Amino acid sequence: MTDKLFLDDLHVGQRFTSASYVLDVDQVKRFAGEFDPQPFHLDEDAAAKSPLGGLAASGWHTAALTMRLLVGGGAPIAGGILGAGVEILWPKPARPNDELHVVSEVTAITPSRSKPDRGIVVLRSETRNQHGDVVQVLTSKLVVPRKAQAPV
Amino acid sequence: MTDKLFLDDLHVGQRFTSASYVLDVDQVKRFAGEFDPQPFHLDEDAAAKSPLGGLAASGWHTAALTMRLLVGGGAPIAGGILGAGVEILWPKPARPNDELHVVSEVTAITPSRSKPDRGIVVLRSETRNQHGDVVQVLTSKLVVPRKAQAPV
């Protein structure tokens, strides 16, 4: 178990790799049925004729699984993973039976001017499948606490 | 049932309003348990002491429910809602028992130069609770087909 990291423990260029997770076809259809009921996420035949060229996970499912992998050790941030905002690109869809993992890199660290106990960290997280293809790029602005300072 | 809209049917400033959806506490905890198992999404007491000041839905849950409302009529786009990329802000968390709806506005339309049968539409979607508070701003780049042209 990695110790959780405070703002003071992070540096630009620091990288983290998550565990991996295998997505199965039932999960793809169940998530899509609840949140993104479009034919290319639900039905093999309809998906084959769609721009996605075959059954594909909802991008929101890929995003939610990425969060699961980050929370499960892929981004060991003190105080939890609390995002103020994100950008997401989906260069390729995730497919049933893909084994996904997330490789993250700290790309910026900005201590807060008004709140000396915290700062904003920009984390760029690539979600990759078993072939190394990037299925999602998530850029997150995270609120990260500083270590408590000893009184002077 | 609204007819689905092609690129030719859309104009900048066009707005759509979705149906509404009530989020309950069991859904908040179930989604978080599967995808975002952090104390402020799972446990009332821990959440009360967290920066969120009480139990809150995962931002990814808010995003997934927003997609459900868009697919369910909140963005009647021909060919389905296929995003190339998105930006998300979460100005406030969604809370258990919030009634959410989504108000969307077309903010840009760019016909493709290389593919004359489609274009990119930027849709800005505010997810609002029953008090009118904005809990999420989603800006999506959507691939939207043109109507088939009659041969000349």
Side-chain angles (χ1 to χ4, degrees), chain A residues 30-31 34-38 40 51 60 63-65 67-68 71 79-90 138, chain B residues 30-31 34-38 40 51-52 60 63-65 67-68 71 79-90 138:
Chain A
R30 182 169 56 80
F31 187 98
E34 186 167 0
F35 296 115
D36 191 352
Q38 302 193 88
F40 33 79
W60 302 106
L65 287 172
M67 189 63 181
R68 176 190 170 122
V71 170
I81 303 179
L82 261 180
V86 298
E87 289 181 29
I88 310 178
L89 298 172
W90 292 290
L138 168 71
Chain B
R30 182 168 57 80
F31 187 100
E34 187 168 0
F35 296 115
D36 190 354
Q38 302 193 88
F40 33 79
L52 297 178
W60 301 107
L65 287 171
M67 187 64 182
R68 176 189 171 121
V71 171
I81 303 178
L82 261 181
V86 298
E87 289 181 28
I88 309 177
L89 298 173
W90 292 289
L138 168 69

Side-chain angles (χ1 to χ4, degrees), chain A residues 15-18 74 101-105 124-128:
Chain A
R15 289 166 74 100
F16 310 106
T17 300
S18 77
H101 70 285
V102 184
V103 178
S104 298
E105 182 171 341
R124 184 180 187 280
S125 300
E126 291 189 354
T127 305
R128 300 181 188 167

Side-chain angles (χ1 to χ4, degrees), chain B:
Chain B
M1 198 68 189
T2 318
D3 277 347
K4 295 296 180 80
L5 302 172
F6 289 84
L7 195 72
D8 321 73
D9 302 318
L10 297 170
H11 62 266
V12 170
Q14 199 165 357
R15 288 165 74 101
F16 310 105
T17 300
S18 78
S20 63
Y21 185 90
V22 179
L23 189 58
D24 73 29
V25 67
D26 290 343
Q27 291 171 343
V28 167
K29 292 182 181 180
R30 182 168 57 80
F31 187 100
E34 187 168 0
F35 296 115
D36 190 354
Q38 302 193 88
F40 33 79
H41 301 314
L42 289 170
D43 181 87
E44 281 82 352
D45 291 341
K49 294 173 199 146
S50 82
L52 297 178
L55 199 67
S58 168
W60 301 107
H61 194 183
T62 304
L65 287 171
T66 297
M67 187 64 182
R68 176 189 171 121
L69 291 169
L70 292 174
V71 171
I77 305 290
I81 303 178
L82 261 181
V86 298
E87 289 181 28
I88 309 177
L89 298 173
W90 292 289
K92 306 184 68 154
R95 305 286 185 182
N97 305 316
D98 271 2
E99 181 172 347
L100 303 177
H101 71 285
V102 184
V103 178
S104 298
E105 183 172 339
V106 175
T107 61
I109 301 174
T110 310
S112 170
R113 289 185 185 199
S114 57
K115 295 177 181 165
D117 63 345
R118 70 192 71 174
I120 296 284
V121 170
V122 179
L123 195 69
R124 183 180 188 280
S125 300
E126 289 189 355
T127 305
R128 299 181 187 168
N129 66 18
Q130 66 279 18
H131 309 297
D133 299 329
V134 176
V135 298
Q136 181 183 277
V137 182
L138 168 69
T139 306
S140 312
K141 288 188 181 173
L142 303 177
V143 181
V144 179
R146 298 193 86 124
K147 279 178 189 157
Q149 302 293 313
V152 274

